[in-house]
Amino acid sequence: MPADCGLTAAEIARRILDRNGLYNVHIARVSGHLTDNFNPVTNTLSLSQSVYGSTSVSAIGVACHEAGHAIQHAQKYFFSSLRIKLVPVVNLANRALFPLLLIGMLLGFASPYTLVGRVFIWIGLVVFGLSMLFSLVTLPTEFDASRRAQKELKENFFSSEEAAMSRKVLTAAAMTYVVSFLMSLIQFLRFFALLLMARNRD
């Protein structure tokens, strides 16, 4: 549904950034679908092809959500800053996870009753614990970015009906991060249960 304001997602994102003094944040068009993001290292807000030039309510909501991340970074929002610090650690852990699990399975990972098995279960526990922590920190970061976007849109660009539609889109997007956290939690509890099995046997 096109927004009544007639502005594109990129134009509104630019106005929101400027309203918050973020003239140095560059907005770029990137290929792909759902590739929208804010990169704090390059200070670039990237919008996918389907969002950048769109005037739809949902596309504008997505662009403004990413603008919310840029504002968080500029204002040193606690959870956003913590998430950025965790990124390299979690990326390293995730890259190491598959080869470690493969070696673990070959050397007895399937059994928590061997020394080698327990070592690899502990490794899995640490890796998924880091992933769970990252997902947990991501939740307030994403919900806050959506809150900032909704506030800007409702006060300056959208009608009440359009604001309600945008809120539904942003809430649905935020719920994907809730699911990600729950998946990490399930994996963490799985490894924890394996350790308890070994302890109970001892």
Side-chain angles (χ1 to χ4, degrees), residues 81-125:
S81 300
L82 180 58
R83 183 174 183 267
I84 292 171
K85 291 177 182 177
L86 287 172
V87 167
V89 178
V90 174
N91 285 343
L92 178 63
N94 286 336
R95 281 197 297 269
L97 181 61
F98 180 74
L100 286 172
L101 290 180
L102 182 60
I103 294 170
M105 284 188 289
L106 293 175
L107 298 180
F109 173 81
S111 173
Y113 308 127
T114 65
L115 178 60
V116 173
R118 291 188 193 186
V119 169
F120 280 91
I121 290 171
W122 270 109
I123 293 173
L125 197 67

Side-chain angles (χ1 to χ4, degrees), residues 25 33 62 72 90 130 146 157 175 184 189 201:
V25 175
H33 181 59
V62 169
Q72 286 176 338
V90 174
L130 286 171
S146 290
F157 301 100
M175 290 306 294
S184 297
L189 292 176
R201 175 164 176 167

Side-chain angles (χ1 to χ4, degrees), residues 186-201:
I186 289 170
Q187 291 294 340
F188 178 83
L189 292 176
R190 176 175 175 269
F191 280 96
F192 187 68
L194 288 173
L195 286 177
L196 287 181
M197 286 169 58
R199 182 178 177 183
N200 290 337
R201 175 164 176 167

Side-chain angles (χ1 to χ4, degrees), residues 12 76 112 115 118 131 134 151 168 170-171 174 180 184 193-194:
I12 290 185
K76 300 189 184 326
L115 178 60
R118 291 188 193 186
S131 178
F134 182 78
K151 184 175 183 295
K168 288 181 179 179
L170 292 174
T171 300
S180 176
S184 297
L194 288 173

Side-chain angles (χ1 to χ4, degrees), residues 51-184:
V51 169
Y52 187 94
S54 175
T55 59
S56 74
V57 170
S58 58
I60 292 171
V62 169
C64 293
H65 171 88
E66 298 305 332
H69 283 307
I71 297 170
Q72 286 176 338
H73 180 64
Q75 296 179 354
K76 300 189 184 326
Y77 177 64
F78 174 75
F79 288 107
S80 176
S81 300
L82 180 58
R83 183 174 183 267
I84 292 171
K85 291 177 182 177
L86 287 172
V87 167
V89 178
V90 174
N91 285 343
L92 178 63
N94 286 336
R95 281 197 297 269
L97 181 61
F98 180 74
L100 286 172
L101 290 180
L102 182 60
I103 294 170
M105 284 188 289
L106 293 175
L107 298 180
F109 173 81
S111 173
Y113 308 127
T114 65
L115 178 60
V116 173
R118 291 188 193 186
V119 169
F120 280 91
I121 290 171
W122 270 109
I123 293 173
L125 197 67
V126 171
V127 170
F128 280 108
L130 286 171
S131 178
M132 184 177 65
L133 176 62
F134 182 78
S135 296
L136 183 61
V137 170
T138 296
L139 291 180
T141 305
E142 295 297 328
F143 279 105
D144 180 74
S146 290
R147 180 190 63 79
R148 293 171 188 263
Q150 290 168 13
K151 184 175 183 295
E152 288 280 356
L153 290 172
K154 186 176 181 179
E155 292 179 356
N156 303 293
F157 301 100
F158 279 177
S159 65
S160 57
E161 181 185 359
E162 290 172 339
M165 291 176 61
S166 177
R167 184 168 59 252
K168 288 181 179 179
V169 172
L170 292 174
T171 300
M175 290 306 294
T176 63
Y177 293 96
V178 174
V179 173
S180 176
F181 168 71
L182 292 176
M183 291 299 294
S184 297

